[in-house]
Amino acid sequence: MNSITIDIELNKDNDDIILNFSNFDRDDIKIDTSTDIDLSEYVQQLTFFIQNNKEIVLKKFEAKDPKLQLIQQTIENITNSFNEIINKESSFSD
Amino acid sequence: MSNIYSDWQKIDLHIHTDWSKRTKQGDYKGSFSIETLYEKLVEQNVQIFSLTDHNIINLPAYKKYYKNHNSKSDPLLLLGVELDIERKEKTYHSLLIFNYCNYEKAVDVNDRLEKIYEEKNANIKKRTVSIDELVNVFSNDDFFLIPHAGNSKNSIIKGYEDDEIEEAQKMIILFQSPLEKVAEKSKQMYNENFDKVLHEAFRNKEDYAYIEFSDNHNIEKYPCIHKGNNGDHDFYYIKGSKNYETLRLAFIDPKSRIRSSSEFKTLNQNRNYIESLDIKSSSKINDTSLKFSSHLNVIIGGRSSGKSLLMDILNRSIDTLKKNSKYDSILDGAEIKIKSKYDEFSNIKTTIDTSIVQINQGDIVNYFENNKLEELAKKTGKIELYNQAKEEFSNKKDILNEKIKDLHKEYKNVFDLDITKNIILHNRIIERVLSSEFLIKVDTNKIKKDYEKLENLTTNKTIITNLLDEVKKFKKIDYFSFTSDELQKINNFETLLNSKKQELKDTIAYRTKIDLFLKEVNQNIKTANSELTTEGQEKAQAKLSIKNMFQDIRNLFNSLVKLNKACSSIENYDYSHKESIELDLGNKLCLEVQKQDEISSLIRSGIKDDESDNKSFYLSLLNLLYGNSSVKNHKDNRPDSFKKKTNSQLSSLLSWYEEPNDFLEYKDGSNSKNNSPGYNSEKYLQVILNNPSSNLILIDQPEDNLGNKFISDQLVDLIRELKFKKQLFLVTHNPAIVVYGDAESIIFAENQNNKISYSQVKLENESSQRNICGVLDGGEYIFDNRARKYNISKLLNRED
């Protein structure tokens, strides 16, 4: 199974989190951390990937700020849930 | 046995004996005998006849007939003769038929006639007589002059031709005579000429009498015409009894009383009618056996004489009609049997397979007063249309009920949302929402909208699965022998379905994964937010509060919009409705709910302190919801109270749809609502009497509330026309209906010492006429007026 690699990066100028799709043709997803954290765009992209049946490999950055830590952890948890579902292929067919 | 009502009599007043040879050379063929004549008359069922030789009376023949055949069942022989009547240089032939039927009178008339000829010393073969001589000799005798009026040389038309024809016509009118030997095509021409003679007020060509007799000169070949070279005679029928008075009434009123053979045959064709009624063993009614005419039967009598009782006996003996229970005790123990034409035997009840019009005394006015014109729909065969019309009112009611229900629902919705509750956005909520703390969020609902709903996909899959099953069954139908080409097409279709099924299966698997994934995402977000600081959680709570508050505002706004719509819908609903059913003669039976008060006004009048003058219905209800007013008698504004009050306020209006007002709309545009009971009754009667689907009509006192002019000008004419198409039973006090209506059967009801008896009389019996005059107010005038139908005195006094 092919995988898609996403690098989680931090824009140090404004503390935005950037999700960079290193081996998939798609623009980066920017997550503004100055206000409430909206992960809708990322989740929507993952729903598209379900059809492609590709696992996500996440590469994190080292976050010191608890807020950034929580955001990165949440992104990771969501991505793990995604990978688990991708790998449970047989259980969804009748 | 002769009938006890006026029945049709076969008549032949022009039969010659061999004595005609004495006065006219060779004017008879074969030999004549009274026995042959009698046999032939009985064979042909002739009931009234005359022996009319040319200018001579065969006294021995009369003598023999009166001696041998004088029973009531024998054909009645009226004294007659055919005369050559002088008119200047010409003569014409005319029958003289006398009101005598015994030998002594025959001798007397013969003597006086022979004396005329004797005084003139006329050759027996050249006998003639003038009208003046006849009038002079027979001035005290009752006789009819029936001249030949055809195109032959013996016709009165020839005798009076040129400028004097008017004199002949006057004479015929004066003698109240019919004309003989007039070809059908000439009758119209004659009628027109009579009209020219008559004063305008007396022109009525339908009343001229034309009649044909055999003019038989060969009894052995009876009923041949003349000597037998022109085929058999088509008999004429006159209605009445075997008597001379029957002739008089027939010649006065030929439209009602004279029929040719072909007309006679159509009289009772294909219609059933009540033939007889027997009443026995009643303590209150003498044993009675009544026979009814298929035409007009009238029941007359004094007050409380049992007229309506007899009508009720008829009603309760016909299976589809209802009895009046008030007569139960009178009829207790009575044995009543009825028979219709189609019944083999008399029975307790009979079936008349036709719609029956039955109206009790006073019913018609009640129908109008009590909104019961449904009866008219029944009696005119329009009940199905009437019920359909009522269904429309029921639909209209359902629509209004729905609108009221909707109003109650929307009122309750607004009430439950508590319109009075203040919506406050507290500062602390705003501060929390604006705090630097953050939330993690994913709008999973928005994402879901990008995908087809899972349940839709499942439904589609079921459709395809079922379709595949059906295709398999289709392939197995033995009835078809599919060609290979057809089988290929089916298989291709099956393949297409399987491929689409697989496509759906994949999509469903994918969609299931998405749903599961989004569920997991929500859980992750919830877990992440739970790890926030207290402030972050308070921010989340504050955001939720604002979201809920906006939802509340949105809900209230939506409910108010819906309440406004419900109010407008009721305000704009035109609850009035009208349905029309076409009846005869351009009249319509209408059902109507008329608009009176506005529905909103009715509802608002159930609200206390409603400032109805300056608020719309919607604002009025808002006022109630805010508690500024209250529901009357409930003292609150609760939805239940509002609903109960509204229902009670509108109950009358809704009930109108159950019983919409019915009325008649007349051809002239007026209607029964703005006409008198009399006028309405007239129209009602016209409509039901004209109903072609009914063959039996029973009406107790049709003249009630009717004007005399309508009775004499229209009702009588209608009865005279209809009685030959349907059987009528009328209880009446009106002599015009009996006499001008020319009732065939008159049933006298009498009550002596609380014992009712019924007897039958006929108009043509002179003693009966006296009885009728005794019972019916104005009867004498009517009989007198009828006898002078042509108003001879006026005719004689005509100035020109």
Side-chain angles (χ1 to χ4, degrees), chain B residues 422-654:
Chain B
N422 290 326
I423 297 171
I424 301 167
L425 187 57
H426 293 284
N427 272 342
R428 59 185 160 80
I429 300 288
I430 298 169
E431 281 167 7
R432 281 174 188 168
V433 169
L434 294 177
S435 78
S436 58
E437 291 303 325
F438 69 96
L439 287 172
I440 300 176
K441 62 182 183 183
V442 173
D443 192 345
T444 51
N445 285 333
K446 192 180 170 194
I447 295 167
K448 271 188 180 179
K449 281 180 187 167
D450 291 339
Y451 298 97
E452 183 70 36
K453 282 186 179 171
L454 192 57
E455 52 264 38
N456 292 347
L457 296 169
T458 313
T459 307
N460 291 343
K461 192 184 158 200
T462 310
I463 291 169
I464 293 182
T465 307
N466 290 341
L467 204 50
L468 273 165
D469 288 345
E470 294 301 318
V471 171
K472 277 181 188 138
K473 287 180 197 167
F474 177 62
K475 280 165 78 175
K476 288 178 185 170
I477 296 175
D478 292 337
Y479 179 77
F480 302 115
S481 346
F482 295 110
T483 63
S484 57
D485 189 37
E486 285 169 340
L487 270 177
Q488 187 58 47
K489 282 178 184 166
I490 298 167
N491 290 338
N492 287 346
F493 182 55
E494 221 173 357
T495 309
L496 173 71
L497 289 175
N498 277 318
S499 119
K500 292 294 172 193
K501 187 181 175 185
Q502 186 56 45
E503 200 178 298
L504 269 176
K505 196 173 164 186
D506 295 344
T507 312
I508 287 168
Y510 169 52
R511 275 291 285 113
T512 310
K513 279 182 190 174
I514 288 172
D515 276 7
L516 186 63
F517 172 57
L518 292 176
K519 198 175 164 189
E520 290 288 320
V521 168
N522 279 332
Q523 190 54 48
N524 286 325
I525 298 297
K526 198 175 171 187
T527 308
N529 282 334
S530 68
E531 288 172 20
L532 295 175
T533 59
T534 309
E535 282 180 352
Q537 286 178 17
E538 279 176 355
K539 182 177 179 179
Q541 197 58 47
K543 279 201 154 185
L544 187 64
S545 297
I546 289 179
K547 188 181 168 189
N548 288 341
M549 189 178 78
F550 276 112
Q551 190 57 47
D552 283 351
I553 292 170
R554 196 178 291 122
N555 288 344
L556 182 59
F557 182 76
N558 284 340
S559 295
L560 288 172
V561 168
K562 285 180 183 171
L563 178 65
N564 195 351
K565 271 189 182 171
C567 287
S568 301
S569 176
I570 281 192
E571 277 186 307
N572 295 332
Y573 185 61
D574 181 4
Y575 64 86
S576 65
H577 191 63
K578 184 180 168 189
E579 291 280 331
S580 301
I581 300 157
E582 293 283 346
L583 301 172
D584 289 326
L585 311 168
N587 300 311
K588 288 178 190 165
L589 171 56
C590 300
L591 294 163
E592 186 178 47
V593 166
Q594 257 189 327
K595 189 166 183 178
Q596 294 176 14
D597 295 323
E598 296 288 345
I599 301 175
S600 56
S601 304
L602 288 169
I603 296 174
R604 289 174 70 170
S605 61
I607 300 172
K608 194 180 173 191
D609 299 329
D610 177 53
E611 296 168 29
S612 52
D613 290 343
N614 51 17
K615 283 196 182 73
S616 72
F617 181 38
Y618 170 65
L619 289 178
S620 170
L621 292 194
L622 277 190
N623 207 31
L624 179 63
L625 282 160
Y626 273 111
N628 297 333
S629 53
S630 62
V631 175
K632 279 181 187 168
N633 304 331
H634 293 265
K635 297 178 182 172
D636 59 33
N637 64 349
R638 295 178 52 75
D640 278 356
S641 308
F642 178 64
K643 187 176 173 181
K644 280 181 193 164
K645 192 69 191 172
T646 308
N647 287 342
S648 109
Q649 292 294 107
L650 300 180
S651 63
S652 297
L653 189 153
L654 287 165

Side-chain angles (χ1 to χ4, degrees), chain B residues 228-250:
Chain B
N229 299 324
N230 297 310
D232 281 347
H233 165 61
D234 272 338
F235 286 96
Y236 268 60
Y237 293 77
I238 63 171
K239 193 180 64 197
S241 307
K242 270 198 282 189
N243 62 24
Y244 182 84
E245 182 69 3
T246 291
L247 299 189
R248 197 174 66 83
L249 293 184

Side-chain angles (χ1 to χ4, degrees), chain A residues 35-40 43-44 46-48 50-51 53 67 70 74 77-78 81-82 85 92 94, chain B residues 438-443 447 450-451 461 505 509-510 513 516-518 520 524 528 531-532 539 543:
Chain A
T35 176
D36 288 342
I37 313 303
D38 189 352
L39 300 180
S40 296
V43 170
Q44 188 180 33
L46 292 184
T47 61
F48 296 152
I50 289 176
Q51 199 167 22
N53 216 21
K67 181 177 179 179
L70 183 59
T74 306
N77 289 345
I78 287 171
S81 295
F82 172 83
I85 286 166
F92 298 111
D94 61 359
Chain B
F438 69 96
L439 287 172
I440 300 176
K441 62 182 183 183
V442 173
D443 192 345
I447 295 167
D450 291 339
Y451 298 97
K461 192 184 158 200
K505 196 173 164 186
Y510 169 52
K513 279 182 190 174
L516 186 63
F517 172 57
L518 292 176
E520 290 288 320
N524 286 325
E531 288 172 20
L532 295 175
K539 182 177 179 179
K543 279 201 154 185

Side-chain angles (χ1 to χ4, degrees), chain B residues 394-410:
Chain B
S394 182
N395 294 339
K396 197 82 180 162
K397 182 187 175 186
D398 289 346
I399 293 170
L400 180 55
N401 266 330
E402 276 304 309
K403 288 180 185 292
I404 296 165
K405 205 169 143 189
D406 194 38
L407 180 74
H408 291 150
K409 188 181 112 191
E410 300 309 337

Side-chain angles (χ1 to χ4, degrees), chain B residues 83 86 96 109-122 127-138:
Chain B
L83 299 177
E86 298 161 8
L96 248 66
V109 168
N110 179 66
D111 288 350
R112 283 183 278 156
L113 185 63
E114 287 296 328
K115 196 175 174 191
I116 295 173
Y117 295 133
E118 204 174 295
E119 284 171 1
K120 295 173 93 164
N121 198 21
R127 285 180 165 184
T128 60
V129 66
S130 71
I131 278 289
D132 289 343
E133 285 167 333
L134 286 174
V135 170
N136 189 32
V137 171
F138 299 117

Side-chain angles (χ1 to χ4, degrees), chain B residues 370-413:
Chain B
N370 300 325
N371 216 22
K372 296 269 186 200
L373 292 177
E374 184 176 352
E375 285 298 318
L376 181 62
K378 283 181 192 164
K379 290 178 172 76
T380 51
K382 307 270 183 181
I383 191 66
E384 212 165 293
L385 288 174
Y386 185 87
N387 288 336
Q388 280 171 15
K390 281 197 89 171
E391 191 63 30
E392 291 300 318
F393 285 90
S394 182
N395 294 339
K396 197 82 180 162
K397 182 187 175 186
D398 289 346
I399 293 170
L400 180 55
N401 266 330
E402 276 304 309
K403 288 180 185 292
I404 296 165
K405 205 169 143 189
D406 194 38
L407 180 74
H408 291 150
K409 188 181 112 191
E410 300 309 337
Y411 181 89
K412 185 174 185 305
N413 280 344

